[in-house]
Amino acid sequence: MTMTQGDMLRDVPPGRLRPLNQTETKSALADLKQMAAAEPAIAALLAGESALRDFVVAVLALSPHLRETANLEPSLLVAAIEKPLTPRIETLVKQARNAWRPVDGEEQSPSESEVMSRLRVAKRRASFLAALADLARIHDGRTTTRWLSELAEASISAAIDHLLLSSHEAGKISVADTAVPSQNSGLIVLGMGKLGAKELNYSSDIDLVVFFDEMAGIVPNPEDAIDIFPRLMRRLVRILQERTADGYVFRTDLRLRPDPGSTPLAIPVDAAMIYYEGRGQNWERAAFIKARPVGGDIAAGQAFIRDLVPFVFRKYLDYAAIADIHSIKRQIHAHKGHGAIAVKGHNVKLGRGGIREIEFFVQTQQLIAGGRMPALRSRATEETLAELTKANWIDAETRDELATAYWFLRDVEHRIQMVRDEQTHLLPETDAELRRIAFMLGFADLPAFSEALVSTLKAVERRYARLFEQETKLSSETGNLVFTGQGDDPDTLETLRRLGFERPSDIANVIRTWHYGRYRATQSVEARERLTELTPELLRVFGESKRADKALLRFDSFISGLPAGIQLFSLLGTNPALLSLIVNIMSSAPRLAEIIAAKPHVFDGMLDPSLMAELPTRDYLAERLKSFLAPARHYEETLDLLRIFASEQRFLIGIRLLTGAIGGTMAARAFTYLADLIVEAALDAVLQEIRAAHGEYPGGRVAVVGMGKLGSFELSAGSDIDIILLYDYDDAAAESSGPKPLDATRYFTRITQRLIAALSAPTAEGVLYEVDMRLRPSGNKGPVATRINSFEKYQREEAWTWEHMALSRARLICGDEEFSLDAERIIGEILSSTRDVAKIAKDVREMRGLIDQEKPPESIWDLKLIPGGLIDIEFIAQYLRLIAPARGVGIDANGLSTAEALKLLGGSLMDRNDLDICLEALHLYTEVSQLIRLCIDGTFDPKNTPSGLIELVCRAGDCPDIRTLEAELKRLSKAVRKIFQATVGN
């Protein structure tokens, strides 16, 4: 897209943006007309036809966030229309920087709440104007990220000056000069990542690391510094990220400090240096490439970074660190190499071909050579690409291709975030929402945008893959590997030990077993030849995994069950990504390894090149199930095919989760979609069988209600399913019409019993699902099938509070369509009844107390049962659903996930900060628990868990190590328990 000449919005060329649709356009125009009543400039704009008018209407139609800001402060839109944008943004950044100072004519410093308000107003205004300038292409991505970074830096500096000055005025510290409190304070605030590189995105959070010099002289007793500065940092986080009526400034993350699980928010400089010199890790070296002082004592910050140079940039070419850096990339990145790149739902930051790959491309080469080439130590991505070209590390074509891709993807990222001011990098999953992003980027239609995006992602992925292929070649000399004869070759044992195996003799014995053709997969000469060629690379890759011996033994168990091996060994030899994936499974996910050892056919699905590109949506699974069941000729064959399909698809959903192609929330939904479709297919097969034997029942209709986690789209790998079968029939009918007629009770009971057996009876192909029907009326004492009028009567007159809580997660998943709508209506009416709020709160408290008493959590990793864990959050959502009518909130939250229900109900019934904490905790619990349930059976104990799984769990929790993640779980669960008690009472 060409840039707009000039600095005024009126210079925007015709057709710069187009609105999403007529509905959004009408809504935007209606809002503008309302603003025009008080603002003549907007009235004048609307009165005529102009490119500026079209642009403003399109912006407000495309971005609900920008429309909301304009409605809140129409004068801001007027300023944008009438005045140059750059000087106004510059003024707002200065206002943010001076937010800590008294206003003209006043001597007293502003209060903390006043500083918070000033910063929020400046942020809101500056980001609104920056968005307009970016969308109009007055500013490109480079300028936008610079302004956003300068705004963040100004806000941090102002907050730090305020904190130091207020502590000085309170007598806790003594600053050298109250006009410049930060100067010579010894308080170092480093901006990391995109803030350090001045590349902040539109809705970015900011990563800070804080150090202090206790000997700087501002703390009367240096020993008090370790209490004073961390307390100030807690206030800093509050100033910047707490949501108030004015919004927030920046979400703030302090977790990149040394060992964040056990250290305070601010760390003494000397302790930090000792840590980095002795225990600093490669991921921390990569993080500090972009570090830059952004607040506090800038001179001290610059000195600290200078002292850290030998840690970040080693003197000698550092190839040894590359495997480690690449493993960080694997932890956060969907597995590369499996065919096409997705557009819908693609993560433009962390996904294949995304922004992070370009950053890693640059950073890995900086780590290798930055020690000897100071010119490569630059922070900004594009600048470093240029320096790498000057140093002949990359050619000009690579530089230009990656720089163009980088700013294109940053523009896409900004548009995603401008829609609703959300810190997300995921492209929408619907055509309508994708079109919104395409139009915001100035594309004429969705296909043109998709083509440009896919082309860019593929170009980045290709460059990134080439880089790591070269690094592999530099260190591929494996050493002596001889597996002939009966005895062990001493040099081979030494090579195996060096590769990472603790029991080299046992491993040598396993490989001799392969060479001797003792398994079906290695009986053919061709298969053994392929495996012999593959063995050095196989051992190298397995050796890099933690607990390499166990991982290789699981692989041995896998190939021992294969009917043939030549295809697999050939594929592994030519497809490093597939080999990495197998190692990942064997080293991190014992449960998945056991599944493929027991059922090798599930592995076939991994060979599908589109596996990682295709999201496991309901439509995707339904289409595959339909074609998979097509050959079935009779009932038993249908049940076997259902079992094969379910085990394969559960495994493939698990693989996507394991590799990061999807997150825990999407995996939960995919496992649930799969269960829905399996139950529906099983019910269809059962009804056919029953009708063949017993005929139709006059007016007979059935529907299956999904309860619990099935109802709320939250199934995980290995979940059982809670269902209720409802039915109805014509009262005039006495029995069914077939050769062996049955009365109504026996007819519908037989359907239910056959359905349970179809799902849970073990066959040669295993079990589909364990089925739990205890949530039906009267539980295990009641009939297995329930007539709809009995169900309604029971729920209205006899059901306990906990049964209504369970009902709030009910979702009709299959059966007669009209009957399902009736059942939905009845459930909706029951849940919409006005209840005694105090009684509901008392019942919820008692039930939670009973669970605490009868099922105490085993550890902090028992995410379901811990105080402030999943049950607390689910109970909050269910409680809100039951009390909503009494509070005058008529929101229909049926058939939703817990997160969706919380967002809908919490918006009206909870404090916004409490709601955000619950949603943050729920997201973390879901991501971590989905992965744990996928990879192991039983309780997760970090001390006895494959370290590969620990890395994956840390990735899922977005934490650098397990201690940090544990600290995060403790923080959030403590906060959630307080919110639970505040919501339903102590």
Side-chain angles (χ1 to χ4, degrees):
M1 190 196 292
T2 56
M3 296 300 294
T4 299
Q5 299 301 311
D7 198 39
M8 301 282 287
L9 270 187
R10 65 165 176 251
D11 298 325
V12 70
R16 170 64 83 205
L17 297 182
R18 54 183 293 194
L20 185 61
N21 53 44
Q22 284 190 328
T23 307
E24 296 277 9
T25 304
K26 283 177 185 172
S27 180
L29 279 167
D31 283 357
L32 283 165
K33 282 171 187 168
Q34 215 168 350
M35 294 178 223
E39 296 289 351
I42 296 176
L45 178 74
L46 293 177
E49 293 291 330
S50 66
L52 176 58
R53 178 187 185 277
D54 293 345
F55 173 77
V56 170
V57 171
V59 166
L60 301 194
L62 288 166
S63 169
H65 163 63
L66 296 176
R67 192 192 311 174
E68 185 183 324
T69 306
N71 280 324
L72 190 69
E73 195 174 355
S75 58
L76 190 54
L77 181 59
V78 172
I81 292 168
E82 294 185 337
K83 295 173 186 173
L85 291 171
T86 304
R88 183 69 189 129
I89 296 171
E90 197 171 356
T91 301
L92 287 164
V93 170
K94 284 177 185 167
Q95 285 175 9
R97 181 62 187 91
N98 293 319
W100 65 281
R101 296 182 186 276
V103 292
D104 292 340
E106 289 185 16
E107 289 185 15
Q108 193 174 354
S109 301
S111 66
E112 197 146 303
S113 59
E114 177 65 19
V115 172
M116 288 170 70
S117 178
R118 288 180 188 179
L119 288 175
R120 279 155 179 73
V121 170
K123 161 73 187 304
R124 183 177 72 233
R125 291 172 177 171
S127 12
F128 179 80
L129 297 177
L132 289 180
D134 195 343
L135 290 167
R137 290 278 88 170
I138 290 167
H139 293 168
D140 62 6
R142 298 167 183 82
T143 310
T144 302
T145 53
R146 179 172 56 79
W147 278 124
L148 292 168
S149 303
E150 288 187 13
L151 178 66
E153 190 173 342
S155 303
I156 294 160
S157 294
I160 293 290
D161 281 341
H162 161 74
L163 290 167
L164 290 172
L165 186 61
S166 67
S167 296
H168 172 85
E169 289 170 348
K172 292 179 181 174
I173 63 173
S174 177
V175 299
D177 183 351
T178 55
V180 276
S182 292
Q183 195 170 302
N184 299 322
S185 65
L187 179 60
I188 297 166
V189 183
L190 300 182
M192 311 293 279
K194 288 188 168 61
L195 173 58
K198 295 194 175 182
E199 294 171 341
L200 216 53
N201 57 49
Y202 190 75
S203 295
S204 190
D205 55 2
I206 51 174
D207 292 297
L208 303 178
V209 181
V210 183
F211 307 105
F212 61 87
D213 180 359
E214 62 264 63
M215 305 310 290
I218 71 165
V219 180
N221 181 355
E223 289 181 5
D224 292 339
I226 196 66
D227 293 322
I228 290 170
F229 288 114
R231 268 203 299 272
L232 290 181
M233 289 314 103
R234 276 194 286 277
R235 285 169 64 192
L236 173 70
V237 172
R238 177 175 170 267
I239 288 170
L240 293 175
Q241 81 171 20
E242 186 176 277
R243 283 181 182 274
T244 70
D246 293 313
Y248 68 102
V249 192
F250 289 95
R251 288 172 291 265
T252 306
D253 194 336
L254 295 170
R255 288 177 299 171
L256 289 179
R257 67 187 185 278
D259 197 3
S262 60
T263 54
L265 297 180
I267 297 169
V269 166
D270 291 344
M273 279 299 175
I274 291 166
Y275 168 85
Y276 289 122
E277 286 166 9
R279 292 169 50 207
Q281 297 173 50
N282 280 319
W283 71 263
E284 290 171 306
R285 292 177 58 206
F288 268 98
I289 289 173
K290 294 186 177 186
R292 180 173 63 88
V294 293
D297 190 336
I298 300 296
Q302 289 166 341
F304 180 87
I305 285 177
R306 277 196 301 276
D307 291 344
L308 212 57
V309 164
F311 163 67
V312 180
F313 299 106
R314 303 273 165 86
K315 190 174 180 182
Y316 301 103
L317 291 182
D318 190 6
Y319 291 115
I322 291 303
D324 198 9
I325 297 300
H326 198 190
S327 79
I328 300 166
K329 183 71 182 72
R330 282 201 303 272
Q331 289 168 37
I332 59 170
H333 164 66
H335 223 282
K336 67 185 176 69
H338 282 270
I341 284 173
V343 174
K344 289 181 181 177
H346 194 78
N347 190 321
V348 295
K349 178 183 177 183
L350 304 180
R352 285 176 301 135
I355 295 163
R356 187 56 60 88
E357 281 197 355
I358 302 171
E359 292 171 341
F360 265 69
F361 180 94
V362 168
Q363 286 173 330
T364 47
Q365 294 177 90
Q366 286 180 287
L367 286 177
I368 293 169
R372 293 175 64 177
M373 304 178 76
L376 296 182
R377 297 176 192 172
S378 46
R379 297 182 179 101
T381 304
E382 187 174 27
E383 183 187 340
T384 311
L385 284 168
E387 292 298 338
L388 285 167
T389 309
K390 286 181 198 170
N392 291 320
W393 276 77
I394 61 173
D395 58 30
E397 186 188 344
T398 303
R399 174 200 64 202
D400 295 344
E401 189 172 44
L402 288 180
T404 303
Y406 181 74
W407 289 114
F408 174 73
L409 292 172
R410 292 305 306 273
D411 282 342
V412 175
E413 176 187 50
H414 283 166
R415 280 18 177 213
I416 293 170
Q417 296 178 350
M418 281 176 194
V419 175
R420 292 184 179 84
D421 187 28
E422 291 174 341
Q423 169 65 346
T424 180
H425 312 277
L426 293 172
L427 281 161
E429 291 177 26
T430 65
D431 284 349
E433 286 299 309
L434 271 173
R435 204 170 289 114
R436 186 193 297 272
I437 304 300
F439 290 175
M440 288 174 84
L441 284 158
F443 284 93
D445 54 33
L446 183 52
F449 165 60
S450 298
E451 187 182 338
L453 178 71
V454 169
S455 167
T456 301
L457 295 171
K458 283 184 174 174
V460 173
E461 185 185 33
R462 188 172 63 251
R463 296 287 181 189
Y464 182 77
R466 274 185 208 155
L467 172 73
F468 279 103
E469 279 163 15
Q470 288 160 9
E471 307 311 343
T472 303
K473 286 169 193 164
L474 289 166
S475 56
S476 63
E477 292 302 316
T478 312
N480 211 38
L481 288 172
V482 178
F483 299 103
T484 54
Q486 292 290 337
D488 291 332
D489 170 60
D491 287 348
T492 298
L493 295 185
E494 182 53 38
T495 300
L496 289 171
R497 198 174 284 110
R498 199 172 66 250
L499 285 170
F501 295 96
E502 293 173 359
R503 295 178 293 161
S505 185
D506 292 349
I507 298 303
N509 195 41
V510 165
I511 292 165
R512 274 197 294 275
T513 301
W514 300 348
H515 287 306
Y516 291 151
R518 291 174 186 165
Y519 302 147
R520 281 182 300 168
T522 60
Q523 281 171 356
S524 77
V525 176
E526 292 88 349
R528 287 201 300 278
E529 283 174 357
R530 295 282 185 284
L531 189 53
T532 302
E533 290 165 8
L534 181 64
T535 296
E537 183 64 4
L538 201 66
L539 289 170
R540 188 188 68 75
V541 177
F542 269 103
E544 285 175 356
S545 69
K546 310 281 172 70
R547 301 196 188 179
D549 305 69
K550 274 192 177 178
L552 192 78
L553 289 171
R554 288 195 192 103
F555 180 76
D556 174 60
S557 174
F558 163 55
I559 64 170
S560 72
L562 288 174
I566 187 164
Q567 185 196 9
L568 171 67
F569 303 148
S570 300
L571 272 168
L572 292 178
T574 57
N575 192 335
L578 191 59
L579 179 56
S580 284
L581 187 49
I582 285 191
V583 173
N584 213 346
I585 294 167
M586 302 300 164
S587 61
S588 312
R591 186 177 164 278
L592 285 179
E594 285 166 18
I595 288 170
I596 59 174
K599 296 179 179 174
H601 67 78
V602 300
F603 187 80
D604 293 351
M606 285 169 62
L607 309 182
D608 177 357
S610 67
L611 172 65
M612 296 299 162
E614 290 278 5
L615 295 174
T617 60
R618 186 186 171 95
D619 289 347
Y620 170 90
L621 293 167
E623 186 182 326
R624 272 154 181 70
L625 178 60
K626 186 180 176 184
S627 58
F628 199 84
L629 291 180
R633 288 158 300 184
H634 49 77
Y635 179 71
E636 285 73 24
E637 192 175 358
T638 299
L639 297 193
D640 274 343
L641 286 174
L642 279 175
R643 280 159 172 72
I644 293 167
F645 181 84
S647 63
E648 183 171 313
Q649 291 302 326
R650 270 197 294 255
F651 178 78
L652 296 178
I653 293 166
I655 291 299
R656 291 180 177 97
L657 176 60
L658 186 76
T659 58
I662 62 174
T665 305
M666 191 181 284
R669 204 159 268 271
F671 284 127
T672 307
Y673 288 147
L674 179 62
D676 285 0
L677 293 164
I678 295 293
V679 172
E680 184 176 17
L683 179 65
D684 288 345
V686 165
L687 289 175
Q688 269 188 303
E689 282 292 289
I690 294 289
R691 285 165 185 160
H694 306 292
E696 296 269 359
Y697 203 96
R701 297 167 297 162
V702 298
V704 177
V705 186
M707 305 291 285
K709 291 195 180 298
L710 174 62
S712 58
F713 296 100
E714 288 160 334
L715 290 184
S716 57
S719 285
D720 59 6
I721 57 172
D722 295 281
I723 58 173
I724 297 172
L725 189 130
L726 300 176
Y727 67 89
D728 206 357
Y729 57 89
D730 291 346
D731 284 321
E735 58 183 20
S736 62
S737 60
K740 297 177 185 173
L742 296 172
D743 62 62
T745 303
R746 286 198 300 157
Y747 185 89
F748 292 104
T749 298
R750 187 74 53 88
I751 289 173
T752 310
Q753 289 166 337
R754 289 294 290 272
L755 178 62
I756 294 168
L759 294 169
S760 61
T763 73
E765 295 299 339
V767 168
L768 275 169
Y769 294 98
E770 295 297 337
V771 178
D772 191 338
M773 298 195 76
R774 287 174 295 178
L775 291 176
R776 67 186 187 271
S778 303
N780 285 341
K781 294 174 187 170
V784 289
T786 310
R787 194 172 181 189
I788 188 77
N789 55 4
S790 304
F791 175 83
E792 182 175 4
K793 185 172 185 294
Y794 178 88
Q795 290 289 351
R796 289 190 189 280
E797 298 172 13
E798 297 177 48
W800 296 57
T801 298
W802 71 263
E803 290 174 290
H804 284 158
M805 289 168 72
L807 195 66
S808 72
R809 296 168 91 179
R811 182 172 59 86
L812 274 292
I813 59 175
C814 61
D816 181 275
E817 196 171 331
E818 199 176 318
F819 183 54
S820 295
L821 290 172
D822 282 346
E824 274 180 353
R825 177 185 51 76
I826 288 165
I827 290 168
E829 286 173 5
I830 291 160
L831 291 173
S832 298
S833 305
T834 303
R835 294 173 171 80
D836 180 342
V837 174
K839 180 185 182 304
I840 298 297
K842 179 173 174 288
D843 289 350
V844 172
R845 287 197 304 274
E846 285 177 0
M847 198 156 101
R848 186 64 185 99
L850 199 62
I851 293 170
D852 274 340
Q853 200 177 318
E854 292 182 359
K855 291 184 177 178
E858 294 179 23
S859 72
I860 187 66
W861 296 101
D862 198 342
L863 300 179
K864 180 179 177 183
L865 294 172
I866 54 170
L870 279 166
I871 286 182
D872 280 21
I873 296 173
E874 289 166 0
F875 275 23
I876 289 169
Q878 292 161 23
Y879 168 78
L880 295 180
R881 180 66 186 96
L882 296 187
I883 67 154
R887 292 271 199 260
V889 176
I891 293 174
D892 179 8
N894 303 346
L896 302 177
S897 68
T898 302
E900 288 166 337
L902 264 180
K903 282 179 189 170
L904 263 183
L905 298 162
S908 306
L909 296 169
M910 288 179 78
D911 172 83
R912 180 58 195 258
N913 285 321
D914 288 354
L915 175 59
D916 285 350
I917 287 168
C918 285
L919 291 170
E920 182 187 359
L922 179 58
H923 177 75
L924 178 64
Y925 297 160
T926 302
E927 295 298 315
V928 171
S929 61
Q930 279 287 343
L931 198 65
I932 289 171
R933 292 289 303 274
L934 173 73
C935 293
I936 56 171
D937 288 313
T939 311
F940 177 78
D941 176 5
K943 292 187 186 114
N944 302 309
T945 294
S947 49
L949 175 55
I950 287 175
E951 287 176 6
L952 290 172
V953 168
C954 291
R955 179 197 76 189
D958 194 23
C959 287
D961 56 48
I962 202 74
R963 288 173 68 184
T964 309
L965 180 55
E966 222 168 280
E968 191 70 349
L969 290 172
K970 285 174 182 169
R971 177 184 76 81
L972 283 170
S973 58
K974 191 175 174 184
V976 169
R977 177 42 71 103
K978 279 185 184 169
I979 293 164
F980 175 84
Q981 289 167 340
T983 305
V984 302
N986 283 317

